[in-house]
Amino acid sequence: MKAVVTAGGRIGGEYARVACTTVKALAPVRGASMLDRVLDALRGAGVTHIAVVGGAEVRAACGERVERFIDEGPTGEENVLRALAAWSDDEPLLYATSDLPYVHADAVSDFVARVPSDAIAMALTEHADFVLRFAGAPPAGITLARERVVNGGIFSLPPRSRARIATVATGFFSARKAPWRMARLVGPLALVRLATGGLSIPAIEREALRVVRHPCIAVRKCAPELAFDADTVAEYLHACENA
């Protein structure tokens, strides 16, 4: 099994001061960087080949721990495209973000085991499970058709799917936490459904199939650890205190 991790994100202000770095993936959480935790989780889940997209500091931090390193581009969108091209499209690919401070191998393995072999899949956590697991954490999640869920930071891409999603992937990865942005990606009908409270998860899956021309699913009830990403200094501090 092969995987790619995007690790080009930067932080500033209070977040960078507290983390003592401007590279989010390298922010330490109880003795290990967030990138370290993601790499360990992937290895523990059986991933044999890992590629990382990042800058010089990330390259130095990876050392010999990964099979391939890809220099980052000038934008996050470019980094997504470089990540999609990290390995041959003839094989399945796990795509992970690098700011998952609670991630562990069992959570990744459970996700992989429940992904259909022919589907583009995203991990999804029930909001109630997230709140129970991360008491006192900053609010998280999106509401779709009166149902609240939290998007995960790991995705599964089947063989021969990357070329199809490349044109929409950059928008999708940046929009995954904002329902209106997700709806805009799949068309005006989805925006209407969102505005009227009718944009459900199955509706997004159907619209994604229409746009991408490949089965797209949300893997429900994934481990909350796949959905806690340290986007803000408050989330980072929560991880430093509890991970």
Short mmCIF file of all heavy atoms in Angstrom, two decimals, residues 93-151:
data_model
loop_
_atom_site.label_atom_id
_atom_site.label_comp_id
_atom_site.label_asym_id
_atom_site.label_seq_id
_atom_site.Cartn_x
_atom_site.Cartn_y
_atom_site.Cartn_z
N LEU A 93 -4.13 4.65 -3.61
CA LEU A 93 -3.32 5.63 -2.89
C LEU A 93 -4.07 6.15 -1.67
O LEU A 93 -5.24 6.50 -1.76
CB LEU A 93 -2.98 6.80 -3.82
CG LEU A 93 -2.17 7.95 -3.21
CD1 LEU A 93 -0.73 7.50 -2.96
CD2 LEU A 93 -2.19 9.17 -4.13
N LEU A 94 -3.36 6.20 -0.56
CA LEU A 94 -3.87 6.90 0.62
C LEU A 94 -3.30 8.31 0.60
O LEU A 94 -2.09 8.49 0.42
CB LEU A 94 -3.44 6.21 1.92
CG LEU A 94 -4.24 5.01 2.40
CD1 LEU A 94 -3.66 4.52 3.73
CD2 LEU A 94 -5.71 5.36 2.57
N TYR A 95 -4.17 9.28 0.80
CA TYR A 95 -3.76 10.69 0.83
C TYR A 95 -4.05 11.20 2.23
O TYR A 95 -5.20 11.13 2.69
CB TYR A 95 -4.55 11.46 -0.21
CG TYR A 95 -4.20 12.94 -0.35
CD1 TYR A 95 -3.74 13.45 -1.56
CD2 TYR A 95 -4.35 13.84 0.70
CE1 TYR A 95 -3.44 14.79 -1.70
CE2 TYR A 95 -4.04 15.17 0.57
CZ TYR A 95 -3.58 15.65 -0.64
OH TYR A 95 -3.28 16.98 -0.77
N ALA A 96 -3.04 11.71 2.92
CA ALA A 96 -3.23 12.18 4.29
C ALA A 96 -2.70 13.60 4.45
O ALA A 96 -1.69 13.97 3.84
CB ALA A 96 -2.53 11.26 5.28
N THR A 97 -3.38 14.37 5.25
CA THR A 97 -2.84 15.67 5.65
C THR A 97 -1.85 15.44 6.79
O THR A 97 -1.80 14.36 7.38
CB THR A 97 -3.97 16.61 6.09
OG1 THR A 97 -4.68 16.02 7.20
CG2 THR A 97 -4.94 16.87 4.95
N SER A 98 -1.07 16.45 7.11
CA SER A 98 0.03 16.26 8.06
C SER A 98 -0.23 16.91 9.41
O SER A 98 0.68 17.01 10.23
CB SER A 98 1.32 16.82 7.47
OG SER A 98 1.16 18.20 7.15
N ASP A 99 -1.48 17.33 9.66
CA ASP A 99 -1.76 18.01 10.93
C ASP A 99 -2.81 17.26 11.74
O ASP A 99 -3.77 17.83 12.23
CB ASP A 99 -2.20 19.46 10.68
CG ASP A 99 -3.46 19.55 9.82
OD1 ASP A 99 -3.82 18.54 9.19
OD2 ASP A 99 -4.09 20.62 9.80
N LEU A 100 -2.59 15.96 11.89
CA LEU A 100 -3.52 15.10 12.64
C LEU A 100 -2.82 14.61 13.91
O LEU A 100 -2.27 13.51 13.96
CB LEU A 100 -3.93 13.90 11.77
CG LEU A 100 -4.59 14.22 10.43
CD1 LEU A 100 -4.76 12.94 9.61
CD2 LEU A 100 -5.94 14.92 10.64
N PRO A 101 -2.82 15.42 14.97
CA PRO A 101 -2.00 15.10 16.14
C PRO A 101 -2.44 13.88 16.93
O PRO A 101 -1.66 13.33 17.70
CB PRO A 101 -2.12 16.37 16.99
CG PRO A 101 -3.42 16.98 16.58
CD PRO A 101 -3.54 16.70 15.12
N TYR A 102 -3.68 13.43 16.75
CA TYR A 102 -4.18 12.28 17.50
C TYR A 102 -4.20 11.00 16.67
O TYR A 102 -4.60 9.94 17.16
CB TYR A 102 -5.61 12.56 17.99
CG TYR A 102 -5.71 13.55 19.11
CD1 TYR A 102 -5.99 14.89 18.85
CD2 TYR A 102 -5.56 13.17 20.44
CE1 TYR A 102 -6.11 15.82 19.88
CE2 TYR A 102 -5.68 14.08 21.48
CZ TYR A 102 -5.96 15.41 21.19
OH TYR A 102 -6.07 16.32 22.22
N VAL A 103 -3.82 11.06 15.42
CA VAL A 103 -3.96 9.91 14.52
C VAL A 103 -3.15 8.71 15.04
O VAL A 103 -2.08 8.86 15.63
CB VAL A 103 -3.52 10.29 13.09
CG1 VAL A 103 -2.02 10.51 13.01
CG2 VAL A 103 -3.99 9.25 12.09
N HIS A 104 -3.68 7.51 14.81
CA HIS A 104 -2.96 6.29 15.18
C HIS A 104 -3.25 5.20 14.15
O HIS A 104 -4.19 5.30 13.34
CB HIS A 104 -3.33 5.83 16.59
CG HIS A 104 -4.79 5.65 16.81
ND1 HIS A 104 -5.48 4.53 16.40
CD2 HIS A 104 -5.72 6.44 17.41
CE1 HIS A 104 -6.76 4.62 16.73
NE2 HIS A 104 -6.93 5.78 17.34
N ALA A 105 -2.45 4.16 14.17
CA ALA A 105 -2.51 3.13 13.14
C ALA A 105 -3.86 2.43 13.08
O ALA A 105 -4.36 2.12 11.99
CB ALA A 105 -1.39 2.11 13.36
N ASP A 106 -4.46 2.14 14.23
CA ASP A 106 -5.74 1.42 14.23
C ASP A 106 -6.82 2.24 13.52
O ASP A 106 -7.68 1.68 12.83
CB ASP A 106 -6.18 1.11 15.66
CG ASP A 106 -5.34 0.00 16.29
OD1 ASP A 106 -4.62 -0.69 15.55
OD2 ASP A 106 -5.42 -0.16 17.53
N ALA A 107 -6.80 3.55 13.70
CA ALA A 107 -7.79 4.41 13.04
C ALA A 107 -7.62 4.36 11.53
O ALA A 107 -8.60 4.30 10.78
CB ALA A 107 -7.66 5.84 13.55
N VAL A 108 -6.37 4.40 11.07
CA VAL A 108 -6.10 4.33 9.64
C VAL A 108 -6.49 2.97 9.09
O VAL A 108 -7.13 2.86 8.03
CB VAL A 108 -4.62 4.62 9.34
CG1 VAL A 108 -4.33 4.47 7.86
CG2 VAL A 108 -4.23 6.02 9.81
N SER A 109 -6.15 1.91 9.80
CA SER A 109 -6.47 0.55 9.35
C SER A 109 -7.97 0.34 9.23
O SER A 109 -8.44 -0.29 8.27
CB SER A 109 -5.87 -0.48 10.32
OG SER A 109 -4.46 -0.44 10.31
N ASP A 110 -8.71 0.84 10.18
CA ASP A 110 -10.17 0.70 10.14
C ASP A 110 -10.74 1.40 8.92
O ASP A 110 -11.63 0.86 8.24
CB ASP A 110 -10.79 1.27 11.42
CG ASP A 110 -12.30 1.30 11.36
OD1 ASP A 110 -12.92 0.22 11.41
OD2 ASP A 110 -12.87 2.40 11.24
N PHE A 111 -10.25 2.59 8.63
CA PHE A 111 -10.71 3.32 7.45
C PHE A 111 -10.40 2.53 6.18
O PHE A 111 -11.28 2.32 5.33
CB PHE A 111 -10.04 4.69 7.40
CG PHE A 111 -10.24 5.43 6.10
CD1 PHE A 111 -11.48 5.98 5.78
CD2 PHE A 111 -9.19 5.58 5.20
CE1 PHE A 111 -11.66 6.66 4.57
CE2 PHE A 111 -9.36 6.26 4.00
CZ PHE A 111 -10.61 6.79 3.68
N VAL A 112 -9.17 2.07 6.04
CA VAL A 112 -8.76 1.35 4.85
C VAL A 112 -9.60 0.09 4.66
O VAL A 112 -10.01 -0.24 3.54
CB VAL A 112 -7.26 1.00 4.92
CG1 VAL A 112 -6.86 0.06 3.79
CG2 VAL A 112 -6.41 2.27 4.87
N ALA A 113 -9.88 -0.61 5.74
CA ALA A 113 -10.62 -1.86 5.65
C ALA A 113 -12.06 -1.66 5.17
O ALA A 113 -12.66 -2.58 4.62
CB ALA A 113 -10.63 -2.55 7.02
N ARG A 114 -12.60 -0.45 5.35
CA ARG A 114 -14.00 -0.22 5.01
C ARG A 114 -14.19 0.55 3.70
O ARG A 114 -15.31 0.89 3.34
CB ARG A 114 -14.69 0.53 6.17
CG ARG A 114 -14.76 -0.33 7.42
CD ARG A 114 -15.75 0.21 8.43
NE ARG A 114 -15.29 1.40 9.09
CZ ARG A 114 -16.01 2.53 9.18
NH1 ARG A 114 -17.19 2.61 8.61
NH2 ARG A 114 -15.53 3.57 9.83
N VAL A 115 -13.11 0.80 2.99
CA VAL A 115 -13.20 1.52 1.72
C VAL A 115 -13.42 0.53 0.58
O VAL A 115 -12.62 -0.39 0.40
CB VAL A 115 -11.91 2.32 1.46
CG1 VAL A 115 -11.92 2.89 0.05
CG2 VAL A 115 -11.76 3.44 2.47
N PRO A 116 -14.48 0.67 -0.20
CA PRO A 116 -14.65 -0.17 -1.39
C PRO A 116 -13.48 0.02 -2.34
O PRO A 116 -12.95 1.13 -2.49
CB PRO A 116 -15.95 0.35 -2.02
CG PRO A 116 -16.67 1.03 -0.89
CD PRO A 116 -15.61 1.61 -0.01
N SER A 117 -13.06 -1.04 -2.99
CA SER A 117 -11.85 -1.00 -3.80
C SER A 117 -11.95 -0.06 -4.99
O SER A 117 -10.93 0.39 -5.52
CB SER A 117 -11.49 -2.40 -4.29
OG SER A 117 -12.54 -2.93 -5.09
N ASP A 118 -13.18 0.26 -5.43
CA ASP A 118 -13.33 1.06 -6.64
C ASP A 118 -13.80 2.49 -6.38
O ASP A 118 -14.14 3.21 -7.32
CB ASP A 118 -14.32 0.39 -7.60
CG ASP A 118 -15.72 0.32 -7.00
OD1 ASP A 118 -15.85 0.42 -5.76
OD2 ASP A 118 -16.69 0.17 -7.77
N ALA A 119 -13.81 2.92 -5.10
CA ALA A 119 -14.40 4.22 -4.77
C ALA A 119 -13.37 5.22 -4.27
O ALA A 119 -12.44 4.86 -3.55
CB ALA A 119 -15.50 4.06 -3.73
N ILE A 120 -13.55 6.47 -4.65
CA ILE A 120 -12.86 7.58 -4.00
C ILE A 120 -13.55 7.80 -2.66
O ILE A 120 -14.77 7.95 -2.61
CB ILE A 120 -12.95 8.84 -4.86
CG1 ILE A 120 -12.27 8.63 -6.22
CG2 ILE A 120 -12.35 10.05 -4.14
CD1 ILE A 120 -12.56 9.72 -7.23
N ALA A 121 -12.80 7.77 -1.58
CA ALA A 121 -13.43 7.77 -0.26
C ALA A 121 -12.79 8.79 0.67
O ALA A 121 -11.58 9.04 0.62
CB ALA A 121 -13.34 6.38 0.37
N MET A 122 -13.62 9.35 1.54
CA MET A 122 -13.18 10.30 2.55
C MET A 122 -13.64 9.83 3.92
O MET A 122 -14.79 9.37 4.07
CB MET A 122 -13.75 11.69 2.28
CG MET A 122 -13.36 12.73 3.34
SD MET A 122 -14.04 14.37 2.98
CE MET A 122 -15.79 14.09 3.29
N ALA A 123 -12.80 9.93 4.92
CA ALA A 123 -13.18 9.57 6.28
C ALA A 123 -14.14 10.60 6.84
O ALA A 123 -13.95 11.81 6.66
CB ALA A 123 -11.93 9.47 7.15
N LEU A 124 -15.16 10.13 7.54
CA LEU A 124 -16.15 11.00 8.14
C LEU A 124 -16.45 10.51 9.55
O LEU A 124 -16.67 9.32 9.77
CB LEU A 124 -17.44 10.99 7.30
CG LEU A 124 -18.32 12.24 7.35
CD1 LEU A 124 -17.58 13.44 6.76
CD2 LEU A 124 -19.60 12.00 6.57
N THR A 125 -16.46 11.44 10.50
CA THR A 125 -16.71 11.12 11.90
C THR A 125 -18.03 11.73 12.35
O THR A 125 -18.33 12.87 11.98
CB THR A 125 -15.56 11.65 12.78
OG1 THR A 125 -14.36 10.98 12.44
CG2 THR A 125 -15.84 11.45 14.26
N GLU A 126 -18.78 10.99 13.14
CA GLU A 126 -20.02 11.55 13.69
C GLU A 126 -19.66 12.63 14.72
O GLU A 126 -18.75 12.45 15.53
CB GLU A 126 -20.86 10.46 14.36
CG GLU A 126 -21.09 9.24 13.48
CD GLU A 126 -21.68 9.59 12.13
OE1 GLU A 126 -22.71 10.28 12.09
OE2 GLU A 126 -21.09 9.18 11.11
N HIS A 127 -20.37 13.74 14.67
CA HIS A 127 -20.05 14.85 15.55
C HIS A 127 -20.15 14.45 17.02
O HIS A 127 -19.31 14.85 17.85
CB HIS A 127 -20.99 16.03 15.27
CG HIS A 127 -20.67 17.25 16.06
ND1 HIS A 127 -21.41 17.65 17.16
CD2 HIS A 127 -19.66 18.16 15.95
CE1 HIS A 127 -20.90 18.74 17.66
NE2 HIS A 127 -19.84 19.08 16.96
N ALA A 128 -21.14 13.66 17.37
CA ALA A 128 -21.30 13.23 18.77
C ALA A 128 -20.09 12.43 19.24
O ALA A 128 -19.64 12.58 20.38
CB ALA A 128 -22.58 12.40 18.91
N ASP A 129 -19.55 11.59 18.36
CA ASP A 129 -18.35 10.82 18.72
C ASP A 129 -17.15 11.73 18.89
O ASP A 129 -16.30 11.52 19.77
CB ASP A 129 -18.06 9.78 17.64
CG ASP A 129 -19.13 8.70 17.55
OD1 ASP A 129 -19.88 8.53 18.54
OD2 ASP A 129 -19.22 8.04 16.50
N PHE A 130 -17.06 12.74 18.03
CA PHE A 130 -15.95 13.70 18.11
C PHE A 130 -15.98 14.45 19.44
O PHE A 130 -14.96 14.57 20.13
CB PHE A 130 -16.04 14.68 16.94
CG PHE A 130 -14.88 15.63 16.84
CD1 PHE A 130 -13.79 15.34 16.05
CD2 PHE A 130 -14.89 16.84 17.52
CE1 PHE A 130 -12.71 16.22 15.95
CE2 PHE A 130 -13.83 17.73 17.43
CZ PHE A 130 -12.73 17.41 16.64
N VAL A 131 -17.15 14.94 19.81
CA VAL A 131 -17.29 15.70 21.05
C VAL A 131 -16.99 14.82 22.26
O VAL A 131 -16.34 15.25 23.22
CB VAL A 131 -18.70 16.30 21.15
CG1 VAL A 131 -18.94 16.91 22.53
CG2 VAL A 131 -18.91 17.34 20.05
N LEU A 132 -17.44 13.57 22.22
CA LEU A 132 -17.18 12.65 23.33
C LEU A 132 -15.69 12.37 23.46
O LEU A 132 -15.16 12.31 24.58
CB LEU A 132 -17.95 11.35 23.09
CG LEU A 132 -17.85 10.29 24.20
CD1 LEU A 132 -18.48 10.81 25.49
CD2 LEU A 132 -18.53 9.00 23.75
N ARG A 133 -15.02 12.21 22.34
CA ARG A 133 -13.58 11.88 22.39
C ARG A 133 -12.74 13.08 22.77
O ARG A 133 -11.74 12.94 23.49
CB ARG A 133 -13.17 11.36 21.00
CG ARG A 133 -11.65 11.16 20.82
CD ARG A 133 -11.12 10.08 21.72
NE ARG A 133 -9.70 9.87 21.48
CZ ARG A 133 -8.72 10.57 22.05
NH1 ARG A 133 -9.02 11.56 22.91
NH2 ARG A 133 -7.45 10.31 21.79
N PHE A 134 -13.11 14.27 22.31
CA PHE A 134 -12.28 15.45 22.52
C PHE A 134 -13.01 16.49 23.36
O PHE A 134 -13.33 17.59 22.89
CB PHE A 134 -11.85 16.05 21.18
CG PHE A 134 -11.10 15.09 20.30
CD1 PHE A 134 -11.61 14.69 19.08
CD2 PHE A 134 -9.88 14.56 20.71
CE1 PHE A 134 -10.93 13.81 18.27
CE2 PHE A 134 -9.19 13.66 19.91
CZ PHE A 134 -9.71 13.28 18.69
N ALA A 135 -13.28 16.14 24.58
CA ALA A 135 -13.98 17.06 25.48
C ALA A 135 -13.19 18.36 25.63
O ALA A 135 -11.98 18.35 25.83
CB ALA A 135 -14.16 16.40 26.84
N GLY A 136 -13.88 19.48 25.51
CA GLY A 136 -13.24 20.77 25.67
C GLY A 136 -12.52 21.27 24.44
O GLY A 136 -11.91 22.36 24.47
N ALA A 137 -12.55 20.52 23.34
CA ALA A 137 -11.88 20.97 22.12
C ALA A 137 -12.68 22.07 21.44
O ALA A 137 -13.89 22.20 21.64
CB ALA A 137 -11.70 19.80 21.16
N PRO A 138 -12.03 22.89 20.62
CA PRO A 138 -12.76 23.91 19.85
C PRO A 138 -13.83 23.26 18.98
O PRO A 138 -13.69 22.10 18.57
CB PRO A 138 -11.66 24.57 19.01
CG PRO A 138 -10.40 24.31 19.76
CD PRO A 138 -10.57 22.97 20.39
N PRO A 139 -14.91 23.99 18.70
CA PRO A 139 -15.98 23.44 17.87
C PRO A 139 -15.46 22.97 16.51
O PRO A 139 -14.54 23.56 15.94
CB PRO A 139 -16.95 24.61 17.72
CG PRO A 139 -16.66 25.50 18.87
CD PRO A 139 -15.19 25.38 19.14
N ALA A 140 -16.08 21.90 16.01
CA ALA A 140 -15.68 21.36 14.71
C ALA A 140 -16.90 20.78 14.02
O ALA A 140 -17.90 20.46 14.66
CB ALA A 140 -14.61 20.29 14.88
N GLY A 141 -16.82 20.62 12.72
CA GLY A 141 -17.87 19.93 11.99
C GLY A 141 -18.67 20.80 11.06
O GLY A 141 -18.58 22.04 11.09
N ILE A 142 -19.45 20.14 10.21
CA ILE A 142 -20.35 20.80 9.28
C ILE A 142 -21.73 20.17 9.40
O ILE A 142 -21.85 19.02 9.81
CB ILE A 142 -19.84 20.70 7.82
CG1 ILE A 142 -19.73 19.24 7.39
CG2 ILE A 142 -18.52 21.42 7.66
CD1 ILE A 142 -19.33 19.05 5.95
N THR A 143 -22.76 20.92 9.05
CA THR A 143 -24.12 20.42 9.12
C THR A 143 -24.68 20.24 7.71
O THR A 143 -24.66 21.17 6.90
CB THR A 143 -25.03 21.38 9.90
OG1 THR A 143 -24.50 21.52 11.23
CG2 THR A 143 -26.45 20.85 9.98
N LEU A 144 -25.13 19.03 7.43
CA LEU A 144 -25.71 18.69 6.14
C LEU A 144 -27.05 18.01 6.37
O LEU A 144 -27.11 16.97 7.03
CB LEU A 144 -24.78 17.76 5.35
CG LEU A 144 -23.41 18.33 4.98
CD1 LEU A 144 -22.48 17.23 4.51
CD2 LEU A 144 -23.56 19.41 3.91
N ALA A 145 -28.11 18.62 5.86
CA ALA A 145 -29.47 18.07 6.03
C ALA A 145 -29.75 17.78 7.50
O ALA A 145 -30.20 16.70 7.87
CB ALA A 145 -29.65 16.82 5.18
N ARG A 146 -29.44 18.75 8.34
CA ARG A 146 -29.69 18.69 9.77
C ARG A 146 -28.87 17.60 10.48
O ARG A 146 -29.17 17.21 11.59
CB ARG A 146 -31.18 18.50 10.06
CG ARG A 146 -32.04 19.67 9.57
CD ARG A 146 -33.51 19.41 9.78
NE ARG A 146 -33.96 18.26 8.98
CZ ARG A 146 -34.22 18.33 7.67
NH1 ARG A 146 -34.06 19.47 7.02
NH2 ARG A 146 -34.62 17.27 7.01
N GLU A 147 -27.82 17.12 9.82
CA GLU A 147 -26.94 16.12 10.40
C GLU A 147 -25.54 16.71 10.52
O GLU A 147 -25.00 17.24 9.54
CB GLU A 147 -26.91 14.88 9.51
CG GLU A 147 -26.04 13.77 10.05
CD GLU A 147 -26.07 12.54 9.15
OE1 GLU A 147 -26.40 12.68 7.95
OE2 GLU A 147 -25.75 11.45 9.65
N ARG A 148 -24.96 16.63 11.73
CA ARG A 148 -23.64 17.23 11.92
C ARG A 148 -22.56 16.15 11.93
O ARG A 148 -22.65 15.16 12.66
CB ARG A 148 -23.60 18.04 13.22
CG ARG A 148 -22.37 18.95 13.32
CD ARG A 148 -22.59 20.13 14.23
NE ARG A 148 -21.45 21.04 14.25
CZ ARG A 148 -21.22 21.98 13.35
NH1 ARG A 148 -22.08 22.14 12.35
NH2 ARG A 148 -20.16 22.76 13.43
N VAL A 149 -21.55 16.38 11.12
CA VAL A 149 -20.44 15.44 10.98
C VAL A 149 -19.14 16.24 10.95
O VAL A 149 -19.14 17.46 10.80
CB VAL A 149 -20.57 14.59 9.70
CG1 VAL A 149 -21.77 13.65 9.78
CG2 VAL A 149 -20.65 15.49 8.47
N VAL A 150 -18.02 15.51 11.08
CA VAL A 150 -16.70 16.14 11.02
C VAL A 150 -15.88 15.42 9.95
O VAL A 150 -15.71 14.20 10.01
CB VAL A 150 -15.97 16.06 12.37
CG1 VAL A 150 -14.68 16.91 12.32
CG2 VAL A 150 -16.86 16.53 13.51
N ASN A 151 -15.41 16.16 8.98
CA ASN A 151 -14.62 15.58 7.89
C ASN A 151 -13.24 15.17 8.38
O ASN A 151 -12.60 15.88 9.16
CB ASN A 151 -14.48 16.57 6.75
CG ASN A 151 -15.77 16.79 6.01
OD1 ASN A 151 -16.64 15.93 5.99
ND2 ASN A 151 -15.92 17.96 5.42
#
